[in-house]
PDB file of all heavy atoms in Angstrom:
ATOM      1  N   ARG A1682       0.298 -25.786  -3.639  1.00 88.00           N
ATOM      2  CA  ARG A1682       1.156 -25.450  -4.773  1.00 88.00           C
ATOM      3  C   ARG A1682       0.751 -26.177  -6.054  1.00 88.00           C
ATOM      4  O   ARG A1682       0.883 -25.644  -7.145  1.00 88.00           O
ATOM      5  CB  ARG A1682       2.606 -25.755  -4.410  1.00 88.00           C
ATOM      6  CG  ARG A1682       3.632 -25.094  -5.300  1.00 88.00           C
ATOM      7  CD  ARG A1682       5.000 -25.105  -4.649  1.00 88.00           C
ATOM      8  NE  ARG A1682       5.094 -24.170  -3.529  1.00 88.00           N
ATOM      9  CZ  ARG A1682       5.921 -24.320  -2.500  1.00 88.00           C
ATOM     10  NH1 ARG A1682       6.684 -25.386  -2.418  1.00 88.00           N
ATOM     11  NH2 ARG A1682       5.963 -23.414  -1.555  1.00 88.00           N
ATOM     12  N   GLY A1683       0.244 -27.376  -5.944  1.00 85.00           N
ATOM     13  CA  GLY A1683      -0.097 -28.128  -7.143  1.00 85.00           C
ATOM     14  C   GLY A1683      -1.511 -27.914  -7.636  1.00 85.00           C
ATOM     15  O   GLY A1683      -1.905 -28.471  -8.672  1.00 85.00           O
ATOM     16  N   LEU A1684      -2.309 -27.128  -6.926  1.00 91.00           N
ATOM     17  CA  LEU A1684      -3.695 -26.900  -7.329  1.00 91.00           C
ATOM     18  C   LEU A1684      -3.759 -25.863  -8.451  1.00 91.00           C
ATOM     19  O   LEU A1684      -2.945 -24.940  -8.492  1.00 91.00           O
ATOM     20  CB  LEU A1684      -4.516 -26.424  -6.127  1.00 91.00           C
ATOM     21  CG  LEU A1684      -4.641 -27.445  -4.986  1.00 91.00           C
ATOM     22  CD1 LEU A1684      -5.322 -26.818  -3.768  1.00 91.00           C
ATOM     23  CD2 LEU A1684      -5.419 -28.672  -5.447  1.00 91.00           C
ATOM     24  N   PRO A1685      -4.729 -25.982  -9.352  1.00 90.00           N
ATOM     25  CA  PRO A1685      -4.761 -25.089 -10.531  1.00 90.00           C
ATOM     26  C   PRO A1685      -5.377 -23.731 -10.228  1.00 90.00           C
ATOM     27  O   PRO A1685      -6.109 -23.552  -9.258  1.00 90.00           O
ATOM     28  CB  PRO A1685      -5.636 -25.877 -11.521  1.00 90.00           C
ATOM     29  CG  PRO A1685      -6.574 -26.647 -10.638  1.00 90.00           C
ATOM     30  CD  PRO A1685      -5.775 -27.020  -9.419  1.00 90.00           C
ATOM     31  N   GLY A1686      -5.087 -22.778 -11.117  1.00 86.00           N
ATOM     32  CA  GLY A1686      -5.769 -21.490 -11.098  1.00 86.00           C
ATOM     33  C   GLY A1686      -5.350 -20.572  -9.963  1.00 86.00           C
ATOM     34  O   GLY A1686      -4.490 -20.883  -9.137  1.00 86.00           O
ATOM     35  N   ASP A1687      -6.012 -19.405  -9.938  1.00 87.00           N
ATOM     36  CA  ASP A1687      -5.696 -18.392  -8.936  1.00 87.00           C
ATOM     37  C   ASP A1687      -6.179 -18.767  -7.543  1.00 87.00           C
ATOM     38  O   ASP A1687      -5.665 -18.249  -6.550  1.00 87.00           O
ATOM     39  CB  ASP A1687      -6.332 -17.054  -9.334  1.00 87.00           C
ATOM     40  CG  ASP A1687      -5.631 -16.416 -10.528  1.00 87.00           C
ATOM     41  OD1 ASP A1687      -4.427 -16.679 -10.704  1.00 87.00           O
ATOM     42  OD2 ASP A1687      -6.292 -15.681 -11.272  1.00 87.00           O
ATOM     43  N   GLY A1688      -7.170 -19.643  -7.459  1.00 90.00           N
ATOM     44  CA  GLY A1688      -7.703 -20.001  -6.150  1.00 90.00           C
ATOM     45  C   GLY A1688      -6.660 -20.605  -5.237  1.00 90.00           C
ATOM     46  O   GLY A1688      -6.689 -20.395  -4.019  1.00 90.00           O
ATOM     47  N   ALA A1689      -5.709 -21.344  -5.800  1.00 91.00           N
ATOM     48  CA  ALA A1689      -4.687 -21.995  -4.976  1.00 91.00           C
ATOM     49  C   ALA A1689      -3.858 -20.963  -4.221  1.00 91.00           C
ATOM     50  O   ALA A1689      -3.572 -21.128  -3.028  1.00 91.00           O
ATOM     51  CB  ALA A1689      -3.789 -22.853  -5.860  1.00 91.00           C
ATOM     52  N   SER A1690      -3.476 -19.886  -4.882  1.00 90.00           N
ATOM     53  CA  SER A1690      -2.633 -18.889  -4.226  1.00 90.00           C
ATOM     54  C   SER A1690      -3.395 -18.106  -3.169  1.00 90.00           C
ATOM     55  O   SER A1690      -2.782 -17.515  -2.268  1.00 90.00           O
ATOM     56  CB  SER A1690      -2.061 -17.923  -5.274  1.00 90.00           C
ATOM     57  OG  SER A1690      -3.099 -17.204  -5.919  1.00 90.00           O
ATOM     58  N   LEU A1691      -4.725 -18.091  -3.245  1.00 90.00           N
ATOM     59  CA  LEU A1691      -5.515 -17.339  -2.275  1.00 90.00           C
ATOM     60  C   LEU A1691      -5.721 -18.087  -0.964  1.00 90.00           C
ATOM     61  O   LEU A1691      -5.963 -17.454   0.066  1.00 90.00           O
ATOM     62  CB  LEU A1691      -6.888 -16.993  -2.858  1.00 90.00           C
ATOM     63  CG  LEU A1691      -7.008 -15.771  -3.766  1.00 90.00           C
ATOM     64  CD1 LEU A1691      -8.475 -15.504  -4.068  1.00 90.00           C
ATOM     65  CD2 LEU A1691      -6.389 -14.552  -3.117  1.00 90.00           C
ATOM     66  N   VAL A1692      -5.651 -19.416  -0.979  1.00 92.00           N
ATOM     67  CA  VAL A1692      -5.981 -20.191   0.222  1.00 92.00           C
ATOM     68  C   VAL A1692      -5.143 -19.774   1.420  1.00 92.00           C
ATOM     69  O   VAL A1692      -5.687 -19.485   2.496  1.00 92.00           O
ATOM     70  CB  VAL A1692      -5.870 -21.707  -0.055  1.00 92.00           C
ATOM     71  CG1 VAL A1692      -6.006 -22.500   1.247  1.00 92.00           C
ATOM     72  CG2 VAL A1692      -6.937 -22.143  -1.039  1.00 92.00           C
ATOM     73  N   PRO A1693      -3.798 -19.701   1.324  1.00 91.00           N
ATOM     74  CA  PRO A1693      -3.025 -19.279   2.503  1.00 91.00           C
ATOM     75  C   PRO A1693      -3.357 -17.856   2.949  1.00 91.00           C
ATOM     76  O   PRO A1693      -3.343 -17.553   4.136  1.00 91.00           O
ATOM     77  CB  PRO A1693      -1.566 -19.389   2.030  1.00 91.00           C
ATOM     78  CG  PRO A1693      -1.598 -20.347   0.888  1.00 91.00           C
ATOM     79  CD  PRO A1693      -2.905 -20.095   0.213  1.00 91.00           C
ATOM     80  N   GLY A1694      -3.654 -16.983   1.999  1.00 87.00           N
ATOM     81  CA  GLY A1694      -4.008 -15.620   2.360  1.00 87.00           C
ATOM     82  C   GLY A1694      -5.326 -15.550   3.104  1.00 87.00           C
ATOM     83  O   GLY A1694      -5.461 -14.836   4.102  1.00 87.00           O
ATOM     84  N   LEU A1695      -6.329 -16.290   2.623  1.00 87.00           N
ATOM     85  CA  LEU A1695      -7.632 -16.304   3.275  1.00 87.00           C
ATOM     86  C   LEU A1695      -7.566 -16.938   4.656  1.00 87.00           C
ATOM     87  O   LEU A1695      -8.267 -16.512   5.576  1.00 87.00           O
ATOM     88  CB  LEU A1695      -8.637 -17.060   2.405  1.00 87.00           C
ATOM     89  CG  LEU A1695      -9.018 -16.399   1.070  1.00 87.00           C
ATOM     90  CD1 LEU A1695      -9.690 -17.395   0.150  1.00 87.00           C
ATOM     91  CD2 LEU A1695      -9.933 -15.204   1.318  1.00 87.00           C
ATOM     92  N   ALA A1696      -6.720 -17.949   4.803  1.00 88.00           N
ATOM     93  CA  ALA A1696      -6.672 -18.697   6.056  1.00 88.00           C
ATOM     94  C   ALA A1696      -5.788 -18.027   7.100  1.00 88.00           C
ATOM     95  O   ALA A1696      -6.206 -17.845   8.251  1.00 88.00           O
ATOM     96  CB  ALA A1696      -6.189 -20.121   5.794  1.00 88.00           C
ATOM     97  N   VAL A1697      -4.559 -17.676   6.719  1.00 87.00           N
ATOM     98  CA  VAL A1697      -3.602 -17.168   7.717  1.00 87.00           C
ATOM     99  C   VAL A1697      -2.897 -15.898   7.267  1.00 87.00           C
ATOM    100  O   VAL A1697      -1.885 -15.503   7.851  1.00 87.00           O
ATOM    101  CB  VAL A1697      -2.555 -18.254   8.063  1.00 87.00           C
ATOM    102  CG1 VAL A1697      -3.204 -19.413   8.770  1.00 87.00           C
ATOM    103  CG2 VAL A1697      -1.808 -18.724   6.812  1.00 87.00           C
ATOM    104  N   GLY A1698      -3.418 -15.230   6.231  1.00 82.00           N
ATOM    105  CA  GLY A1698      -2.845 -13.956   5.816  1.00 82.00           C
ATOM    106  C   GLY A1698      -1.527 -14.051   5.088  1.00 82.00           C
ATOM    107  O   GLY A1698      -0.836 -13.047   4.927  1.00 82.00           O
ATOM    108  N   ASP A1699      -1.145 -15.246   4.601  1.00 83.00           N
ATOM    109  CA  ASP A1699       0.118 -15.414   3.875  1.00 83.00           C
ATOM    110  C   ASP A1699      -0.130 -15.189   2.387  1.00 83.00           C
ATOM    111  O   ASP A1699      -0.711 -16.029   1.704  1.00 83.00           O
ATOM    112  CB  ASP A1699       0.671 -16.826   4.110  1.00 83.00           C
ATOM    113  CG  ASP A1699       2.074 -17.000   3.533  1.00 83.00           C
ATOM    114  OD1 ASP A1699       2.406 -16.331   2.550  1.00 83.00           O
ATOM    115  OD2 ASP A1699       2.834 -17.822   4.076  1.00 83.00           O
ATOM    116  N   THR A1700       0.306 -14.036   1.888  1.00 82.00           N
ATOM    117  CA  THR A1700       0.060 -13.679   0.487  1.00 82.00           C
ATOM    118  C   THR A1700       1.297 -13.870  -0.383  1.00 82.00           C
ATOM    119  O   THR A1700       1.358 -13.339  -1.486  1.00 82.00           O
ATOM    120  CB  THR A1700      -0.402 -12.213   0.396  1.00 82.00           C
ATOM    121  OG1 THR A1700       0.600 -11.368   0.990  1.00 82.00           O
ATOM    122  CG2 THR A1700      -1.716 -12.010   1.125  1.00 82.00           C
ATOM    123  N   SER A1701       2.272 -14.632   0.097  1.00 78.00           N
ATOM    124  CA  SER A1701       3.518 -14.786  -0.646  1.00 78.00           C
ATOM    125  C   SER A1701       3.309 -15.455  -1.997  1.00 78.00           C
ATOM    126  O   SER A1701       4.103 -15.250  -2.922  1.00 78.00           O
ATOM    127  CB  SER A1701       4.525 -15.599   0.181  1.00 78.00           C
ATOM    128  OG  SER A1701       4.010 -16.889   0.493  1.00 78.00           O
ATOM    129  N   ALA A1702       2.250 -16.263  -2.145  1.00 80.00           N
ATOM    130  CA  ALA A1702       2.023 -16.978  -3.400  1.00 80.00           C
ATOM    131  C   ALA A1702       1.070 -16.241  -4.336  1.00 80.00           C
ATOM    132  O   ALA A1702       0.845 -16.690  -5.462  1.00 80.00           O
ATOM    133  CB  ALA A1702       1.470 -18.380  -3.109  1.00 80.00           C
ATOM    134  N   VAL A1703       0.500 -15.126  -3.902  1.00 83.00           N
ATOM    135  CA  VAL A1703      -0.477 -14.408  -4.722  1.00 83.00           C
ATOM    136  C   VAL A1703       0.245 -13.625  -5.817  1.00 83.00           C
ATOM    137  O   VAL A1703       1.081 -12.772  -5.516  1.00 83.00           O
ATOM    138  CB  VAL A1703      -1.315 -13.442  -3.860  1.00 83.00           C
ATOM    139  CG1 VAL A1703      -2.296 -12.661  -4.739  1.00 83.00           C
ATOM    140  CG2 VAL A1703      -2.074 -14.214  -2.786  1.00 83.00           C
ATOM    141  N   PRO A1704      -0.038 -13.879  -7.095  1.00 81.00           N
ATOM    142  CA  PRO A1704       0.636 -13.132  -8.171  1.00 81.00           C
ATOM    143  C   PRO A1704       0.194 -11.680  -8.183  1.00 81.00           C
ATOM    144  O   PRO A1704      -0.876 -11.329  -7.677  1.00 81.00           O
ATOM    145  CB  PRO A1704       0.193 -13.873  -9.442  1.00 81.00           C
ATOM    146  CG  PRO A1704      -1.073 -14.566  -9.073  1.00 81.00           C
ATOM    147  CD  PRO A1704      -0.970 -14.902  -7.621  1.00 81.00           C
ATOM    148  N   ALA A1705       1.030 -10.837  -8.784  1.00 72.00           N
ATOM    149  CA  ALA A1705       0.765  -9.392  -8.789  1.00 72.00           C
ATOM    150  C   ALA A1705      -0.561  -9.062  -9.466  1.00 72.00           C
ATOM    151  O   ALA A1705      -1.296  -8.174  -9.021  1.00 72.00           O
ATOM    152  CB  ALA A1705       1.911  -8.669  -9.488  1.00 72.00           C
ATOM    153  N   GLU A1706      -0.894  -9.799 -10.563  1.00 76.00           N
ATOM    154  CA  GLU A1706      -2.130  -9.498 -11.287  1.00 76.00           C
ATOM    155  C   GLU A1706      -3.359  -9.784 -10.429  1.00 76.00           C
ATOM    156  O   GLU A1706      -4.313  -8.994 -10.406  1.00 76.00           O
ATOM    157  CB  GLU A1706      -2.204 -10.324 -12.581  1.00 76.00           C
ATOM    158  CG  GLU A1706      -1.140  -9.965 -13.601  1.00 76.00           C
ATOM    159  CD  GLU A1706       0.170 -10.704 -13.348  1.00 76.00           C
ATOM    160  OE1 GLU A1706       0.281 -11.406 -12.316  1.00 76.00           O
ATOM    161  OE2 GLU A1706       1.088 -10.569 -14.181  1.00 76.00           O
ATOM    162  N   LEU A1707      -3.343 -10.898  -9.688  1.00 84.00           N
ATOM    163  CA  LEU A1707      -4.485 -11.231  -8.834  1.00 84.00           C
ATOM    164  C   LEU A1707      -4.563 -10.262  -7.659  1.00 84.00           C
ATOM    165  O   LEU A1707      -5.661  -9.858  -7.247  1.00 84.00           O
ATOM    166  CB  LEU A1707      -4.365 -12.670  -8.335  1.00 84.00           C
ATOM    167  CG  LEU A1707      -5.494 -13.142  -7.404  1.00 84.00           C
ATOM    168  CD1 LEU A1707      -6.840 -13.026  -8.089  1.00 84.00           C
ATOM    169  CD2 LEU A1707      -5.245 -14.581  -6.948  1.00 84.00           C
ATOM    170  N   ASP A1708      -3.420  -9.887  -7.112  1.00 82.00           N
ATOM    171  CA  ASP A1708      -3.408  -8.927  -6.023  1.00 82.00           C
ATOM    172  C   ASP A1708      -4.033  -7.610  -6.471  1.00 82.00           C
ATOM    173  O   ASP A1708      -4.832  -7.004  -5.740  1.00 82.00           O
ATOM    174  CB  ASP A1708      -1.970  -8.705  -5.547  1.00 82.00           C
ATOM    175  CG  ASP A1708      -1.888  -7.712  -4.393  1.00 82.00           C
ATOM    176  OD1 ASP A1708      -2.498  -7.969  -3.345  1.00 82.00           O
ATOM    177  OD2 ASP A1708      -1.216  -6.685  -4.556  1.00 82.00           O
ATOM    178  N   ALA A1709      -3.693  -7.172  -7.678  1.00 77.00           N
ATOM    179  CA  ALA A1709      -4.267  -5.936  -8.206  1.00 77.00           C
ATOM    180  C   ALA A1709      -5.776  -6.077  -8.413  1.00 77.00           C
ATOM    181  O   ALA A1709      -6.545  -5.158  -8.115  1.00 77.00           O
ATOM    182  CB  ALA A1709      -3.586  -5.570  -9.524  1.00 77.00           C
ATOM    183  N   ALA A1710      -6.212  -7.229  -8.912  1.00 84.00           N
ATOM    184  CA  ALA A1710      -7.644  -7.455  -9.117  1.00 84.00           C
ATOM    185  C   ALA A1710      -8.397  -7.468  -7.792  1.00 84.00           C
ATOM    186  O   ALA A1710      -9.507  -6.933  -7.684  1.00 84.00           O
ATOM    187  CB  ALA A1710      -7.867  -8.771  -9.863  1.00 84.00           C
ATOM    188  N   MET A1711      -7.804  -8.067  -6.757  1.00 88.00           N
ATOM    189  CA  MET A1711      -8.439  -8.096  -5.436  1.00 88.00           C
ATOM    190  C   MET A1711      -8.598  -6.682  -4.894  1.00 88.00           C
ATOM    191  O   MET A1711      -9.644  -6.332  -4.318  1.00 88.00           O
ATOM    192  CB  MET A1711      -7.610  -8.942  -4.477  1.00 88.00           C
ATOM    193  CG  MET A1711      -7.557 -10.426  -4.805  1.00 88.00           C
ATOM    194  SD  MET A1711      -9.106 -11.306  -4.444  1.00 88.00           S
ATOM    195  CE  MET A1711      -9.064 -11.360  -2.648  1.00 88.00           C
TER     196      MET A1711
END
Side-chain angles (χ1 to χ4, degrees):
R1682 197 163 288 153
L1684 296 173
D1687 288 332
S1690 63
L1691 277 188
V1692 171
L1695 292 164
V1697 294
D1699 188 331
T1700 57
S1701 59
V1703 178
E1706 294 85 354
L1707 179 58
D1708 180 60
M1711 293 287 287

